[in-house]
Amino acid sequence: MPVHRTRRAIILVLVCLAVTAAYVLVGLNERNIGYNLPRRLHIVVAMAIIAVALGWSAACFQTITENHILTPNLIGLDSLYLFIQTAVVYYLGAARLTAMNNPKDFLLTVAIMVGAAALLYKALFKGQHGNIHFLVLVGLVAGQLFKALASFMQLRIDPNEFSVAQGKMFASFNNLNLQLTGLAALCAGGAFLISLYDFRRLDVLTLGRDQAISLGVPYTGVVRRQLLMVAVMVSAATVLGGPVAFLSILTVNAARRYFHTYRHIWVLIGSAVISLVCLLLGQIVVERILNFTVPSNVIINLVGGVYLFVLLLRQGSRG
C-alpha cells in the first residue's frame, strides 16, 4: 500500500510539473523572456507558499474539528482581512491602501489577523476543555460581523476609492512584491515547521478526542498549538495572495480521496500539490483565455463551491 501511494504521489507531482511548465514556458520568446520568465517564476513560488499553507492548515483544522467539510476560513479570517482593507480606505483613503505593499504593513496585517484569532482561542480555552464546534460557530458569527461592517463602509466611501478596495476582495497574483513573498514564506514556513511537531499526534487525533486522550495525546495543548499555527498560515497566505475561500475544501478532500488514507503525510503532499495545480490552472485560464476579465479566485471558488455541494449531498445521503 505505501508503494501504491508513492506511485500515486509521483504521478501527481509529474502532473504538477507539467502544468507549471505550461504556465511558465508557453508564450515565451526572445523578445519577452526577460520580463515574463522572472515574473512567472515569482508567481509560481508565491502560489506554492499559498498552496502549502492553505492545504496543511485545512488538513489540521479538519482533523481538530473532526469534520471534513470545514475550513479555517470559517473562523472569519478572510472577512477580517477584507474589513481591514476596507477600513484603511474608509479612514485613510485609497492612496494609503495602494501604498500598503511593503513588509511593515504586511506584518501588521498578519499580526492583527493572528491576534484576533488568538483572542478568540483564549476566550474559548479558559477552562480545561475548549469546545471546537462552539469556536466554529463564533467564527462564523464574527465573519458575518466583519462582512457587515465592511459592506457598511463600502457604501459610504467614494466610488473611485471603492474600486481600489474591491480589488482586495479577489485573489491576485499579477502584482506580487518579492519582499512580501519572502516574508510570507518565513511566516507560513515557521508556522508549518512548528505544526510538524505534532505530525504523528494529528494521526492519532483522527480517532477522536476521547481515544486520543486515552492513548496519551495532550489534547488541549495540541489543539491550541495547531489552531494558532493554522491562523498564522492562513493569515500569511491571505495577505500575500488574497482570499481563496473554497480552495482548501476542494484540495484536502480530493487528496484524501486520491490517497485513500488518514495519514497526514499523504494528505499534506496531496493537498499542497493539488492546490498548486488548481492555482496554476486558474491563472492560465485568467491570463490566456479570459484576458484578465475574471479574477482567478472566482473560478476556483466556483469549482470548490460545486465540490462542497457534492460533499454535502453525499454526507446527507449516507446520514
Side-chain angles (χ1 to χ4, degrees):
M1 187 62 72
V3 175
H4 175 65
R5 293 195 183 104
T6 301
R7 188 182 303 115
R8 282 175 172 260
I10 293 174
I11 294 172
L12 194 60
V13 170
L14 290 176
V15 170
C16 181
L17 290 175
V19 175
T20 303
Y23 174 72
V24 173
L25 300 177
V26 172
L28 290 181
N29 54 55
E30 58 183 11
R31 292 177 299 175
N32 62 24
I33 189 171
Y35 171 76
N36 282 333
L37 183 60
R39 171 183 168 274
R40 292 178 183 179
L41 289 175
H42 183 197
I43 290 175
V44 171
V45 171
M47 286 182 175
I49 296 169
I50 294 171
V52 174
L54 293 183
W56 177 240
S57 61
C60 293
F61 192 79
Q62 290 181 359
T63 298
I64 291 169
T65 57
E66 301 178 31
N67 192 312
H68 290 175
I69 61 173
L70 297 181
T71 70
N73 305 94
L74 292 177
I75 60 178
L77 290 177
D78 278 2
S79 300
L80 177 58
Y81 169 75
L82 295 178
F83 170 73
I84 293 171
Q85 307 304 307
T86 305
V88 170
V89 175
Y90 184 78
Y91 290 107
L92 302 177
R96 181 66 184 91
L97 182 63
T98 305
M100 285 180 63
N101 194 25
N102 60 76
K104 180 181 176 181
D105 290 319
F106 175 90
L107 292 175
L108 179 61
T109 305
V110 171
I112 292 173
M113 295 171 68
V114 174
L119 288 175
L120 178 61
Y121 300 156
K122 185 177 180 179
L124 293 176
F125 283 97
K126 283 184 177 179
Q128 291 295 320
H129 306 294
N131 191 324
I132 298 297
H133 296 94
F134 185 62
L135 167 67
V136 174
L137 177 61
V138 173
L140 282 170
V141 174
Q144 292 302 314
L145 174 63
F146 290 131
K147 281 184 179 179
L149 292 174
S151 297
F152 172 77
M153 288 186 290
Q154 288 165 10
L155 291 172
R156 293 177 58 85
I157 61 180
D158 181 85
N160 294 322
E161 294 191 332
F162 171 73
S163 64
V164 177
Q166 190 179 36
K168 295 293 184 177
M169 299 179 187
F170 305 102
S172 175
F173 303 99
N174 301 314
N175 298 308
L176 292 172
N177 186 321
L178 186 59
Q179 288 182 308
L180 301 189
T181 304
L183 279 176
L186 287 175
C187 294
F192 175 74
L193 292 176
I194 295 174
S195 182
L196 287 182
Y197 175 75
D198 296 316
F199 206 93
R200 296 188 181 277
R201 293 171 179 171
L202 288 170
D203 288 342
V204 181
L205 283 182
T206 58
L207 300 173
R209 177 181 178 276
D210 295 335
Q211 290 82 354
I213 292 175
S214 67
L215 291 171
V217 174
Y219 178 82
T220 302
V222 171
V223 168
R224 287 178 175 176
R225 184 163 50 248
Q226 290 301 318
L227 285 175
L228 186 59
M229 295 305 104
V230 163
V232 174
M233 286 186 280
V234 172
S235 299
T238 302
V239 178
L240 176 63
V244 190
F246 287 106
L247 177 66
S248 52
I249 293 178
L250 171 65
T251 57
V252 175
N253 282 282
R256 285 197 173 96
R257 289 183 175 275
Y258 183 73
F259 287 110
H260 301 289
T261 182
Y262 68 93
R263 297 288 301 276
H264 285 75
I265 179 62
W266 299 110
V267 176
L268 168 61
I269 294 173
S271 59
V273 176
I274 295 173
S275 293
L276 182 55
V277 170
C278 290
L279 290 171
L280 287 169
L281 289 176
Q283 193 68 12
I284 289 173
V285 171
V286 168
E287 289 186 10
R288 298 166 194 179
I289 298 177
L290 301 177
N291 295 320
F292 298 98
T293 56
V294 177
S296 58
N297 69 326
V298 172
I299 300 171
I300 294 171
N301 287 343
L302 174 62
V303 177
V306 172
Y307 188 71
L308 174 61
F309 186 68
V310 172
L311 287 176
L312 291 172
L313 288 178
R314 285 181 177 177
Q315 285 206 357
S317 62
R318 290 173 185 171

